[in-house]
């Protein structure tokens, strides 16, 4: 093992011991924010230390096996050689595992997400495609055992949505779907096209980690809250009370709205969730810009104008342009079978991190 890696693991071991002592202190429990921070840090350190302990154990066993391989007894010598061979392979695998565990972790990976999908260029077809993407993500979420909570939706008369917002709750949701932000392009013959010509349309996806109140401070005096009648498809009123809520954060100009619930209080609560997520996401983008990581440019900025993926129906093909990944299984992808694409993006991201570490 490289000396630098070994030193980092020794430091991690000491830090884990410090955190465990700190967690036993009753004063730590009183500071909720600090408690959450060190608990998250512990969750990252524990698998590193456990793997490091296994590595040290196998290293000691390897030394014993090498000594046995030099024994004058042929049977013991052969046994030692076989054991040394096995342990060497185990250590190689463990070293690779440790290299992965030591990669910088995204502190938001274990968070739930809020997803906003909008029909963009292409009129009715763009809205229909936005609906298709919504279905794709909900199917994928179901396959992962995650839960969906609708937050806001504006159905389109032709089908799909001009805009739909929803939350996905579950284990490590952001870690899987954080690379989905950007413009998604579809190439197909629209249902509304009589001549059978292939059209290109786009829908934008914005993935934001859920933000709690302690993550983002919002001054109530900075908010403009408006209420209005909920609207259904085609613009008709679906109830007679002003239950829909629109919140404008005056300093940033961020506007969120919710009309999915019958209660104004519930709609306001959901709108505040969306506002916190948008403000938190904006804060993260600024941090990334300050860091100016080259890796971020390679994986994609996540901006809505950036075409990250093309869904080509005539050729049953999906291409992710950021990593040059193509799969001839569009029919399965649209049914929520996203794992191959997601794993390719995660692998690319990890390889970029490893390259940055070296």
């Amino acid at each position: 093992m490289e000396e630098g890696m070994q030193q980092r693991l020794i430091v991690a071991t000491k830090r884990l011991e410090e955190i465990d002592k700190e967690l036993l202190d009753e004063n730590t429990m009183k500071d909720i924010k600090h408690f959450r921070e060190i608990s998250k840090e512990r969750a990252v350190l524990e698998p590193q230390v456990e793997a490091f302990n296994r590595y040290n154990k196998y290293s000691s066993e390897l030394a014993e096996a090498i000594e046995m391989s030099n024994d004058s007894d042929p049977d013991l010598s052969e046994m030692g050689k076989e054991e040394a061979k096995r342990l060497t392979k185990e250590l190689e695998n463990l070293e690779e595992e440790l290299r992965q565990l030591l990669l910088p972790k995204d502190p938001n990976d274990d968070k739930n997400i809020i997803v906003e999908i909008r029909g963009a260029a292409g009129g009715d077809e763009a809205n229909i495609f936005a609906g298709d993407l919504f279905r794709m993500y909900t199917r994928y979420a179901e396959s992962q055992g995650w839960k969906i909570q609708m937050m806001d939706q504006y159905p389109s008369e032709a089908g799909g949505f001009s805009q739909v917002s929803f939350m996905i709750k579950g284990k490590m949701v952001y870690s899987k779907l954080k690379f989905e932000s950007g413009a998604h392009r579809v190439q197909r013959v629209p249902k509304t096209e009589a001549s059978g010509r292939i059209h290109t349309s786009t829908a934008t996806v914005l993935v934001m980690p859920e933000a709690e109140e302690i993550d983002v401070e919002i001054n109530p005096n900075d908010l403009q809250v408006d209420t209005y009648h909920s609207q259904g498809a085609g613009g008709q009123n679906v109830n007679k009370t002003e239950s829909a809520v629109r919140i404008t954060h005056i300093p940033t100009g961020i506007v969120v709205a919710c009309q999915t619930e019958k209660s104004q209080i519930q709609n306001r609560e959901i709108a505040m969730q969306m506002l916190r997520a948008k403000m938190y996401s904006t804060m993260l983008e600024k941090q990334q810009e300050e860091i100016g990581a080259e890796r971020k440019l390679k994986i994609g900025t996540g901006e809505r104008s950036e075409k990250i993926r093309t869904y080509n129906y005539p050729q049953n093909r999906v291409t992710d342009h950021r990593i040059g990944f193509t799969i001839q299984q569009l029919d399965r992808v649209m049914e929520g079978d996203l794992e191959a694409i997601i794993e390719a993006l995660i692998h690319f991201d990890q390889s970029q991190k490893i390259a940055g570490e070296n």
Side-chain angles (χ1 to χ4, degrees):
M1 181 188 293
E2 301 145 6
E3 187 178 346
M5 184 187 293
Q6 189 171 27
Q7 285 303 313
R8 288 177 66 186
L9 289 164
I10 290 170
V11 170
T13 302
K14 290 179 180 176
R15 177 59 183 151
L16 184 62
E17 291 172 359
E18 291 172 1
I19 290 174
D20 284 342
K21 287 179 183 176
E22 202 173 341
L23 288 171
L24 293 173
D25 187 340
E26 60 181 27
N27 291 323
T28 303
M29 298 291 291
K30 294 175 183 176
D31 188 342
I32 297 174
K33 187 173 183 180
H34 180 62
F35 177 78
R36 285 181 64 219
E37 286 173 353
I38 63 173
S39 295
K40 284 186 176 182
E41 187 181 356
R42 191 188 188 284
V44 171
L45 292 173
E46 187 177 31
Q48 296 176 1
V49 173
E50 286 180 352
F52 186 43
N53 289 337
R54 289 202 310 274
Y55 186 92
N56 289 333
K57 178 175 176 286
Y58 290 159
S59 294
S60 298
E61 291 175 1
L62 177 59
E64 293 172 6
I66 291 172
E67 187 177 341
M68 187 189 296
S69 69
N70 294 323
D71 197 279
S72 56
D73 185 317
D75 290 337
L76 280 177
S77 177
E78 185 60 30
M79 191 183 301
K81 287 176 182 176
E82 286 297 317
E83 185 67 357
K85 186 178 178 181
R86 182 186 72 81
L87 288 166
T88 299
K89 185 65 177 174
E90 290 280 4
L91 285 167
E92 287 175 359
N93 292 337
L94 257 180
E95 191 165 339
E96 180 56 33
E97 181 183 336
L98 282 164
R99 190 171 280 110
Q100 295 287 336
L101 287 169
L102 285 171
L103 290 175
K105 295 292 185 296
D106 187 330
N108 296 304
D109 275 352
D110 62 344
K111 290 192 174 187
N112 299 326
I113 62 172
I114 292 175
V115 184
E116 182 181 279
I117 305 175
R118 293 173 181 260
D124 287 342
E125 173 63 9
N127 294 338
I128 292 169
F129 181 51
D132 293 337
L133 291 177
F134 169 71
R135 183 173 180 273
M136 178 184 78
Y137 289 126
T138 53
R139 286 292 181 91
Y140 178 71
E142 288 167 3
S143 74
Q144 300 294 304
W146 299 337
K147 294 182 179 179
I148 300 289
Q149 177 191 342
M150 293 302 298
M151 303 193 83
D152 200 22
Q153 56 180 307
Y154 294 88
S156 168
E157 288 186 10
F161 303 93
S162 59
Q163 180 183 334
V164 59
S165 301
F166 55 101
M167 179 179 282
I168 303 180
K169 302 178 180 180
K171 187 177 180 181
M172 304 298 286
V173 179
Y174 186 71
S175 71
K176 289 266 193 173
L177 294 176
K178 62 184 174 183
F179 300 123
E180 293 302 300
S181 291
H184 294 239
R185 179 172 63 180
V186 63
Q187 295 174 327
R188 65 184 178 190
V189 178
K191 295 175 183 176
T192 54
E193 176 59 53
S195 62
R197 291 182 303 165
I198 295 173
H199 282 224
T200 298
S201 305
T202 58
T204 61
V205 176
L206 179 62
V207 175
M208 301 168 284
E210 181 186 16
E212 298 180 33
E213 289 184 32
I214 60 174
D215 294 322
V216 180
E217 291 184 15
I218 299 176
N219 186 339
N221 295 326
D222 289 337
L223 302 179
Q224 177 183 317
V225 182
D226 300 304
T227 58
Y228 56 98
H229 294 294
S230 296
Q231 300 288 308
Q236 73 270 25
N237 289 334
V238 295
N239 63 40
K240 296 180 180 179
T241 61
E242 291 191 344
S243 60
V245 175
R246 182 187 300 108
I247 300 176
T248 303
H249 184 250
I250 298 168
T252 60
I254 294 173
V255 180
V256 294
C258 181
Q259 60 175 350
T260 56
E261 304 297 328
K262 293 180 180 178
S263 160
Q264 186 182 116
I265 295 173
Q266 288 176 305
N267 282 330
R268 179 178 176 133
E269 186 178 326
I270 292 171
M272 284 301 295
Q273 279 184 303
M274 295 168 69
L275 178 60
R276 282 195 295 271
K278 287 200 173 188
M279 290 181 68
Y280 187 56
S281 185
T282 301
M283 184 178 74
L284 292 177
E285 285 176 14
K286 287 181 180 177
Q287 288 175 352
Q288 289 174 335
E289 285 172 8
E290 288 170 6
I291 294 169
E294 184 183 355
R295 181 184 63 81
K296 178 173 169 283
L297 298 177
K298 290 179 180 175
I299 195 76
T301 62
E303 292 178 359
R304 293 180 180 223
S305 60
E306 180 187 7
K307 292 180 178 65
I308 64 167
R309 193 175 298 153
T310 295
Y311 303 74
N312 185 296
Y313 275 71
Q315 297 178 24
N316 197 37
R317 184 182 71 225
V318 181
T319 299
D320 195 290
H321 304 292
R322 297 164 294 180
I323 59 175
F325 179 84
T326 296
I327 186 169
Q328 302 286 152
Q329 297 175 356
L330 180 141
D331 52 340
R332 290 171 56 181
V333 168
M334 298 311 293
E335 288 298 317
D337 190 359
L338 283 167
E339 202 62 30
I341 298 173
I342 288 169
E343 287 300 321
L345 285 162
I346 291 173
H347 178 74
F348 180 85
D349 182 53
Q350 289 178 340
S351 66
Q352 293 295 303
K353 285 177 178 174
I354 291 171
E357 288 284 299
N358 295 333

